[in-house]
């Protein structure tokens, strides 16, 4: 069964995807609590972390360190925690604290 997508939603999704920076997963090395680790994120999330760091007047490394400290280490990995952080930060800025 085919779901009909409202035109305003369909065009809104298309516009957002069209604005997304190109690229797949990018792996970067970061230094957290004195040890080096690698983090793999889609380019759109690296771009988001850069924007968040600018808005919060800090560095991407400081953001990643804070997320690592506050995440539930038994649940998911650091990359997943960073994606959720980006989503929640953006939602909070949009006034939708879900």
């Amino acid at each position: 069964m085919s779901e009909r997508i409202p035109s305003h939603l369909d065009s809104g999704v298309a516009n957002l995807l069209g604005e997304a920076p190109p690229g797949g997963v990018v792996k970067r090395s970061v230094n957290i609590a004195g040890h080096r680790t690698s983090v793999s994120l889609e380019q759109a999330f690296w771009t988001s972390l850069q924007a968040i760091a600018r808005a919060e007047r800090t560095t991407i490394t400081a953001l990643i360190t804070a997320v690592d400290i506050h995440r539930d280490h038994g649940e998911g990995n650091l990359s997943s925690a960073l994606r959720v952080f980006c989503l929640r930060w953006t939602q909070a800025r949009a006034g939708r604290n879900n």
Side-chain angles (χ1 to χ4, degrees):
M1 187 157 124
S2 178
E3 183 85 23
R4 180 156 167 78
I5 302 169
S7 62
H8 71 281
L9 176 61
D10 193 38
S11 63
V13 169
N15 287 339
L16 287 173
L17 290 176
E19 293 172 4
V25 174
V26 177
K27 190 175 199 173
R28 295 191 182 165
S29 293
V30 292
N31 214 349
I32 299 174
H35 72 277
R36 210 139 175 85
T37 189
S38 62
V39 178
S40 297
L41 291 171
E42 293 77 8
Q43 182 58 48
F45 286 104
W46 287 115
T47 301
S48 181
L49 284 172
Q50 288 172 331
I52 293 168
R54 273 193 308 274
E56 298 293 338
R57 296 188 175 129
T58 190
T59 65
I60 291 176
T61 300
L63 283 175
I64 292 172
T65 300
V67 169
D68 186 52
I69 289 168
H70 293 284
R71 74 183 174 101
D72 181 352
H73 286 79
E75 189 138 332
N77 58 32
L78 179 57
S79 295
S80 295
L82 289 166
R83 287 182 190 96
V84 171
F85 168 76
C86 287
L87 173 65
R88 289 184 177 163
W89 189 91
T90 302
Q91 287 174 330
R93 291 290 288 243
R96 295 184 303 231
N97 295 311
N98 321 358

